[in-house]
Amino acid sequence: MIVLKEKRRLIEMAQFKAAGIILKVYSDDHGIFGNADSPAHAHVFDSTGKKELGIVVLTSTPPQTPTAVQWFRTPNPSEGLAKAIVKFANTPNPVFKKFGGKYAETLWEVVVQQWFTFHGR
C-alpha cells in the first residue's frame, strides 16, 4: 500500500499489479458498491503506474470475458484493455495458496476487499 498526503488530508491508495496493468483503489474516490450512477470502482493504469487508461467498475464476481467488463467514466476503452482486465481479474492471489485458502482467491477479490476496507459499504 502506498500512502499519499495531499493538502493536509490523508489520501490512502492501494495498488495491485498483474497482466501488464495496475489497478489502484483510492480512499477519496470510490463510489458506492452496487450503485449504477456512482459505482464502486478502481482506476486502471499502464504498467508504469503513471498513465491512467480507464476506470473499471468493481463487481462481486470477476469478469470472465471482455464484454463483461463494466467501465465508468471511460469513453471508448479498447478491447485489449478489457482483455487485460479479465486476465488481471482472474489471476490467482499468491497469498491464497500460501495460507491454505484463508484469503481471497483472485486478485479481483483482493481489490474488492481493499475497496471495502477503505469504504466499509
Side-chain angles (χ1 to χ4, degrees), residues 4 13 22 27 39 55 61 64 70 78-79 82 97 101 109 111:
L4 305 172
M13 183 264 296
I22 296 173
S27 64
I55 300 174
T61 57
Q64 299 299 312
Q70 298 176 36
S78 70
E79 185 176 345
K97 288 183 182 177
E109 292 167 327
V111 173

Side-chain angles (χ1 to χ4, degrees), residues 39-92:
H41 58 271
H43 298 257
V44 184
F45 286 79
D46 66 0
S47 62
T48 68
K50 295 179 181 176
K51 182 179 179 188
E52 186 169 353
L53 305 173
I55 300 174
V56 65
V57 174
L58 297 176
T59 55
S60 57
T61 57
Q64 299 299 312
T65 64
T67 57
V69 175
Q70 298 176 36
W71 298 101
F72 180 60
R73 298 190 307 228
T74 305
N76 305 316
S78 70
E79 185 176 345
L81 183 56
K83 287 180 180 179
I85 296 291
V86 171
K87 186 174 180 181
F88 175 98
N90 293 285
T91 297

